[in-house]
Structures are given as C-alpha cells and as structure tokens.
Amino acid sequence: AQKVTQAQTEISVVEKEDVTLDCVYETRDTTYYLFWYKQPPSGELVFLIRRNSFDEQNEISGRYSWNFQKSTSSFNFTITASQVVDSAVYFCALSEASNQGGKLIFGQGTELSVKP
Amino acid sequence: EAQVTQNPRYLITVTGKKLTVTCSQNMNHEYMSWYRQDPGLGLRQIYYSMNVEVTDKGDVPEGYKVSRKEKRNFPLILESPSPNQTSLYFCASSLSWSGEQFFGPGTRLTVL
C-alpha cells in the first residue's frame, strides 16, 4: 500500500546550519509524483516542489535542494545555511498514477525550528 | 487573484448539529480535495473529486459527505458532528492528479 514516512518529528538547529529533512515513500506504481509543502506558523500550506518518478535529477533552488533516489525510495530535502524564516512544518506527499482521481498521501510532517 | 477560499475560518459547534464548510476555487481546476490536519498525523485526505459529480473517498471519509455540483465548489458536510471531528480542515484544488495542490486558508472546527 502507498505510504509516506517522515521519521523526524521535530528538528532544531541554529541559524546558518544546514539541515536535511528525510522522506521515505512506498508505492507499487512506476509512475508517481512526489511533493514537498511548507506550513509556516501562520498556517497556510505552500507548495515547494514536484518531482515525477522518471526524473531523478537533483534540484536546487536557492538555499533549498532536493535529492530523489528511487533505489532507496527517498526524496530528501536540504536547507543550506538555514534562517529563522525557515521555521515551519514541512510535509512530503505522494500521488500515484493508479489513483488519478486525485488521491494524495502525506507524511506526518517534520517541524523545523531554526533558532537565532 | 487565483485562490481557494473556505468559509467559515473558525467554527465552534455542538455534537449532532449539522454543518457545512464551503470551498470555492477560481482557477477552473478539475480536481478538488478535503483534508484534515491533526497533531502527529499530518494531513489526511477525506474526500476528493476529479470532476463535477465525480467524488471518491480518501483515507478518513467516515462522518463526512461532499458534493460537486459545480466545478468551482466543493462543500464538506458533517451531518452529525462528533468531538473526534475537531480538527483543522483544508480544501485544495489542482489542475490534474499530478499537479501541485493549491490550498485554502483552513477552517478550524471545534465540536463540543
């Protein structure tokens, strides 16, 4: 069955440290999409990235980078030189082609706290 | 402005009193979903819809109903709310099954 696991419930770092948020997924589909969303203390959910199962290239966007490894079913998210504004809950999510009705599975979330 | 709106944003009610949370999107998206967010459990999908009159159950549909009579609207109905439905609810829409979800601002529901 499809599943997304974010084993780190809470992470606390000091500003300027690098931090990696782990995401491990389970699926039987060969075609699927993975997502990361950010939920800052204000509560809204903000889309960060989408990656399809056929594209294993790592992606970098400013201080953010994502490492997708199908061999280990992982889609990890790294923040370089963290800032206080990065403090938020981060969710990893999975959408499968066999569920083209729009079923989306979220992980439990990782709460990141960046201290000055 | 492209957006998903939800109303009300906050609601306190009592057990058994029927309520509806409205959701509307102005992006002409085919797909819409409802999620609930609870501490330690992340976001769990309640119901989703891939088009008008087409809906399906997510992971936690018990105690909820939905309808999709128009493309832009996807209301969530609690016929007889119970305290275990106290939660933060999000509506979302997307262009396709693989597209990014656009989320509403959330509705915080308390059932006493």
Side-chain angles (χ1 to χ4, degrees):
Chain A
Q2 67 273 37
K3 188 177 177 183
V4 176
T5 302
Q6 295 178 254
Q8 305 148 306
T9 307
E10 297 177 14
I11 301 176
S12 182
V13 299
V14 176
E15 214 170 13
K16 295 192 176 65
E17 281 186 38
D18 298 347
V19 57
T20 296
L21 282 59
D22 297 332
C23 173
V24 174
Y25 62 93
E26 293 176 30
T27 178
R28 292 190 189 135
D29 280 30
T30 55
T31 302
Y32 53 88
Y33 282 78
L34 294 161
F35 304 81
W36 276 94
Y37 288 88
K38 173 182 180 179
Q39 186 177 41
S42 50
E44 73 272 22
L45 283 152
V46 179
F47 166 79
L48 293 178
I49 190 172
R50 178 182 73 160
R51 172 68 71 211
N52 76 56
S53 53
F54 299 107
D55 182 2
E56 285 195 74
Q57 264 196 322
N58 291 336
E59 178 147 348
I60 299 174
S61 175
R63 295 183 298 105
Y64 295 172
S65 62
W66 291 268
N67 182 274
F68 176 33
Q69 291 195 334
K70 286 176 76 170
S71 60
T72 55
S73 296
S74 64
F75 186 42
N76 297 337
F77 173 31
T78 297
I79 302 174
T80 303
S82 60
Q83 299 177 0
V84 172
V85 293
D86 296 326
S87 296
V89 181
Y90 291 87
F91 293 98
C92 181
L94 166 70
S95 181
E96 301 168 306
S98 60
N99 282 312
Q100 290 193 28
K103 188 171 170 63
L104 190 63
I105 305 296
F106 280 83
Q108 304 92 317
T110 296
E111 183 171 3
L112 174 65
S113 176
V114 182
K115 303 197 184 307
Chain B
E1 181 193 352
Q3 61 181 349
V4 178
T5 56
Q6 293 178 230
N7 282 293
R9 295 289 313 280
Y10 302 90
L11 179 59
I12 300 175
T13 189
V14 295
T15 299
K17 186 177 181 182
K18 181 179 178 179
L19 68 92
T20 299
V21 184
T22 64
C23 172
S24 184
Q25 51 95 3
N26 62 2
M27 295 168 278
N28 202 36
H29 283 169
E30 303 283 343
Y31 293 79
M32 297 186 75
S33 294
W34 276 103
Y35 300 88
R36 61 177 288 173
Q37 183 178 8
D38 302 289
L41 297 176
L43 286 131
R44 293 179 293 168
Q45 198 171 35
I46 303 171
Y47 269 95
Y48 55 97
S49 168
M50 59 189 298
N51 212 329
V52 174
E53 304 292 1
V54 181
T55 63
D56 206 349
K57 296 177 181 178
D59 289 323
V60 288
E62 296 78 20
Y64 304 94
K65 281 177 57 175
V66 292
S67 69
R68 187 97 180 271
K69 298 192 187 313
E70 304 167 281
K71 198 172 185 179
R72 62 184 291 126
N73 296 324
F74 191 43
L76 179 70
I77 303 155
L78 285 73
E79 296 265 359
S80 183
S82 61
N84 64 12
Q85 292 178 298
T86 292
S87 188
L88 178 59
Y89 292 87
F90 287 98
C91 180
S93 72
S94 62
L95 201 53
S96 68
W97 70 270
S98 58
E100 67 171 278
Q101 302 263 317
F102 289 80
F103 285 88
T107 295
R108 187 164 292 283
L109 172 65
T110 302
V111 183
L112 302 174

